[in-house]
Amino acid sequence: MARDGLLIGEVAARSGVSRKALRLYEKAGILPPARRTRSGYRVYGPDTLALLGFVTQARRLGFRLEEIKRIVVLKRSGRTPCKHVLGLVQLKLNNIDQALTDLAEVRGQLRGLLRYVAVAQTPFCRYLSLYRTSNHREGKGGEPEWKTTR
């Protein structure tokens, strides 16, 4: 039987994408519906491996399936998705920059707290010392089990 394409197992082996992910991508509209053999096996076309390479790279870069689908739909419609992709990339970069700014601020606050706590007998350390001795009991193996206060 000539099938002119790759079965799902062959696509999975060559692309490194699981069979389950292939079925998910097909259901989501990222992969076009596969042809079926008489016995019902999926047969994927020759462009499938290139498309999966793009999908894998996009997932690695943090693109969501819905974003990938939109890019693929634009491409299939004959339009160039470059402008759309550039907008998505800029948005992702902005989000990463904001996350890095937020993390740097938290890191600075934690370093400040570490310096503050490291000083012997600070009010913070005394508070923790009092809290620990009055509000916990020893569990199995000697670990403290903290009681919740209301």
Side-chain angles (χ1 to χ4, degrees):
M1 166 182 85
R3 53 182 153 97
D4 296 324
L6 299 171
L7 295 175
I8 193 168
E10 295 169 320
V11 172
R14 290 187 186 186
S15 67
V17 175
S18 72
R19 294 172 191 215
K20 183 176 180 180
L22 289 170
R23 289 188 291 271
L24 173 79
Y25 294 161
E26 187 177 331
K27 184 177 179 181
I30 293 170
L31 286 178
R35 287 185 307 102
R36 298 287 184 142
T37 65
R38 282 188 220 150
S39 52
Y41 292 105
R42 287 176 166 87
V43 179
Y44 291 95
D47 60 335
T48 301
L49 293 176
L51 177 56
L52 287 172
F54 164 74
V55 171
T56 301
Q57 180 66 20
R59 296 285 290 159
R60 227 180 272 131
L61 293 172
F63 284 82
R64 297 185 329 267
L65 287 181
E66 194 56 42
E67 294 168 330
I68 295 169
K69 178 183 176 181
R70 177 74 177 132
I71 294 166
V72 170
V73 167
L74 285 170
K75 178 73 174 156
R76 271 193 209 128
S77 72
R79 295 183 287 176
T80 305
C82 294
K83 186 175 180 181
H84 178 71
V85 171
L86 288 174
L88 286 174
V89 169
Q90 188 60 56
L91 180 63
K92 291 192 176 306
L93 282 173
N94 292 345
N95 290 341
I96 288 171
D97 289 342
Q98 184 61 53
L100 289 172
T101 299
D102 294 345
L103 285 170
E105 183 180 326
V106 170
R107 181 181 58 199
Q109 291 173 357
L110 287 171
R111 283 184 175 158
L113 181 61
L114 187 60
R115 284 189 297 271
Y116 179 73
V117 171
V119 176
Q121 299 300 312
T122 63
F124 186 79
C125 288
R126 282 195 299 270
Y127 170 76
L128 285 178
S129 175
L130 291 173
Y131 182 78
R132 244 184 132 188
T133 56
S134 63
N135 289 322
H136 84 280
R137 59 186 170 83
E138 297 297 321
K140 293 180 184 176
E143 314 90 19
E145 291 183 4
W146 299 92
K147 292 183 183 177
T148 56
T149 56
R150 296 184 184 196

